[in-house]
Amino acid sequence: MNRAALEARFLKITKIFAKLNGVWPDQNKVKFILWAMVYITMGSSIIVQVARVIHIGSLEVVIEQSSLIGAGFLMIIKHGNYVLNAKKLKSLLNDMSEDWAIDRLKEEFAIMTTYANRGSILAMLYFINACICAFLFLQLPWTARLVHMMKPHNTSSPMLYTIPAYYFVEDDRKYYYYIQMYLGLSIYVVLIVFIGCDTCYIVLVQHACGLLTVTGYRYKNAINDLSFNTKDSEEMAKETYERVRFSIQGHQRAIMFLEKIESAHVIYLFMCMGIIVLCVSITMAQIATMEICVDFYKFISFLMIQFLHLFCLTMQGQFIINSSDEIYDAIYEASWYNTNPKTQALYLLALRRSLTPCYLTAGGLIRLNMESFSEVIKLCVSYYTVLRST
């Protein structure tokens, strides 16, 4: 499968949104315009939110804006990571293309296709979820005004904003629709950055899982179709040795690909974890002190978005651990006892390496898996209780 076919079949969503925010490899000079749009939009969004904190100065406003400001910084960090690691991303995509260009057994190709399809499905689900979340945020001001129009009151229509901020104007009503257009652009920028960057991460991790599973298949089936009771047993032994050595080379390539993924994401993931903990804790504290209103449902949606984002990041690490563990089982189930000592030594080395599972980390400190997901949630709850008590 060539690069064009690979992108059309498995990377369609990722490529579209990565191009829209300028992080897809080999884009022309238009990418600098897209970068400027991202940073100007989000930078100005953070400025007007900080201005509201300074302008009003109450503790309630500080709590309300902190989680939204944190989300803005998270988006800038996410986009900046892919800008700074553009060469690494290009190398990863090239390696991915090379892996698909190799002539493989139909069973190996089926394994690779399974994981590539899983990556595409996860990317599609992420895209749908992100669009729903963006719609929920955008419709809130208009829903409140529509309800007010359907049930007339003696007061004017409510002036609600998707992102509360101080927009440096005295009369909000005069510029209300211009502000809403700006907020719509901000949500659009957040949408394309999150989808483009996170789906790229998802697809790369699923490809690494495919490489690890193919490695396990090779270890398990290296000698299944060979007989050692024939006259050509010596030739068979040599062929088996070469097959196992080929399996080890595939194992090394999978590990190197995974190390490249971590190298391109390790600091970014650590910063994401820190900001998510802060935002979730503040949002939970805010929801606990709010009355049931439109903003209450907005922040409930915002909290769910943060949980889903955290789950998406940590779940990919769990996929890697599961695929890595399968290699150990595959080696153990192989007919290694039918080989000569030289080949058995290779199996022994491969078995020893598989005892150290592959995994992704955030900053080299936090292993990404479902256990770390639960630990981060516990940490958020702990900080929430501290904020609530103060």
Side-chain angles (χ1 to χ4, degrees):
M1 184 184 299
N2 58 30
R3 178 69 172 268
L6 175 64
E7 292 176 357
R9 185 173 179 183
F10 301 121
L11 299 172
K12 191 173 182 179
I13 292 177
T14 300
K15 184 177 180 179
I16 290 172
F17 284 90
K19 279 192 169 184
L20 287 175
N21 64 74
V23 298
W24 189 257
D26 299 327
Q27 279 186 267
N28 54 26
K29 295 181 179 179
V30 175
K31 68 180 180 181
F32 297 108
I33 299 175
L34 297 173
W35 294 356
M37 181 188 73
V38 169
Y39 294 121
I40 290 173
T41 303
M42 296 315 301
S44 60
S45 177
I46 292 172
I47 290 172
V48 295
Q49 291 183 70
V50 172
R52 182 170 185 257
V53 173
I54 297 172
H55 183 70
I56 300 177
S58 66
L59 180 60
E60 181 181 353
V61 172
V62 172
I63 294 175
E64 181 181 6
Q65 297 294 155
S66 295
S67 57
L68 295 173
I69 292 173
F73 277 113
L74 178 61
M75 198 224 68
I76 292 175
I77 291 170
K78 190 182 292 287
H79 187 269
N81 174 73
Y82 281 86
V83 171
L84 295 175
N85 292 292
K87 291 183 178 179
K88 292 181 180 179
L89 176 60
K90 182 177 180 180
S91 177
L92 284 165
L93 292 173
N94 288 338
D95 289 347
M96 187 176 178
S97 180
E98 290 174 6
D99 290 332
W100 279 98
I102 296 173
D103 290 331
R104 299 178 180 275
L105 298 174
K106 62 179 182 179
E107 292 82 3
E108 293 182 7
F109 187 81
I111 292 171
M112 297 288 291
T113 302
T114 298
Y115 281 94
N117 284 328
R118 187 167 76 175
S120 298
I121 292 171
L122 290 173
M124 178 60 72
L125 292 175
Y126 191 96
F127 164 72
I128 294 172
N129 174 69
C131 289
I132 292 173
C133 293
F135 173 76
L136 289 175
F137 263 72
L138 288 172
Q139 60 84 31
L140 283 171
W142 308 110
T143 300
R145 293 173 71 87
L146 180 61
V147 171
H148 187 274
M149 292 173 60
M150 293 174 64
K151 296 181 178 180
H153 300 278
N154 293 327
T155 58
S156 58
S157 300
M159 305 291 291
L160 298 178
Y161 296 108
T162 305
I163 303 174
Y166 177 65
Y167 295 100
F168 301 98
V169 292
E170 296 299 329
D171 185 7
D172 285 0
R173 294 186 179 277
K174 183 178 179 180
Y175 300 97
Y176 180 74
Y177 293 102
Y178 295 105
I179 293 173
Q180 291 294 359
M181 289 174 61
Y182 164 75
L183 293 176
L185 176 62
S186 299
I187 297 297
Y188 165 76
V189 170
V190 171
L191 184 71
I192 63 173
V193 170
F194 269 75
I195 295 176
C197 296
D198 285 347
T199 58
C200 183
Y201 171 68
I202 290 170
V203 169
L204 290 173
V205 170
Q206 292 306 312
H207 181 72
C209 290
L211 293 178
L212 290 170
T213 304
V214 166
T215 297
Y217 172 83
R218 289 177 178 176
Y219 280 131
K220 185 176 181 179
N221 296 279
I223 57 177
N224 281 359
D225 57 345
L226 297 177
S227 172
F228 290 87
N229 297 320
T230 64
K231 296 180 180 180
D232 298 329
S233 58
E234 185 175 347
E235 292 298 322
M236 291 293 186
K238 289 181 179 179
E239 184 176 350
T240 303
Y241 181 84
E242 290 301 318
R243 288 189 179 189
V244 177
R245 191 169 67 87
F246 182 65
S247 301
I248 291 175
Q249 291 174 346
H251 196 178
Q252 290 175 330
R253 181 171 179 82
I255 293 172
M256 289 177 62
F257 186 82
L258 188 59
E259 288 175 349
K260 285 185 178 181
I261 294 176
E262 179 161 2
S263 176
H265 297 84
V266 62
I267 298 176
Y268 145 73
L269 288 172
F270 181 74
M271 298 177 73
C272 279
M273 289 295 176
I275 293 176
I276 289 173
V277 169
L278 177 65
C279 292
V280 169
S281 303
I282 294 173
T283 305
M284 291 172 68
Q286 186 175 3
I287 291 172
T289 57
M290 292 179 67
E291 296 181 357
I292 304 298
C293 60
V294 174
D295 280 347
F296 175 81
Y297 294 108
K298 181 178 74 173
F299 281 98
I300 285 289
S301 301
F302 185 49
L303 182 63
M304 296 306 299
I305 293 168
Q306 295 172 80
F307 281 144
L308 289 171
H309 185 218
L310 176 63
F311 179 75
C312 173
L313 296 179
T314 53
M315 181 177 63
Q316 302 310 311
Q318 187 64 51
F319 282 139
I320 291 293
I321 292 173
N322 293 344
S323 296
S324 181
D325 289 342
E326 290 173 1
I327 294 179
Y328 179 88
D329 296 334
I331 294 173
Y332 184 79
E333 293 172 3
S335 303
W336 50 268
Y337 43 82
N338 287 331
T339 63
N340 57 23
K342 186 178 180 181
T343 305
Q344 288 177 358
L346 289 183
Y347 269 111
L348 183 61
L349 292 173
L351 190 64
R352 178 63 188 86
R353 176 60 185 86
S354 63
L355 289 174
T356 305
C358 300
Y359 51 83
L360 292 171
T361 67
L365 302 174
I366 305 171
R367 291 191 182 185
L368 299 179
N369 50 43
M370 298 315 298
E371 182 180 356
S372 63
F373 173 76
S374 63
E375 291 297 325
V376 171
I377 295 299
K378 290 178 182 178
L379 184 62
C380 292
V381 174
S382 298
Y383 285 139
Y384 154 73
T385 56
V386 172
L387 289 172
R388 184 68 189 276
S389 63
T390 56

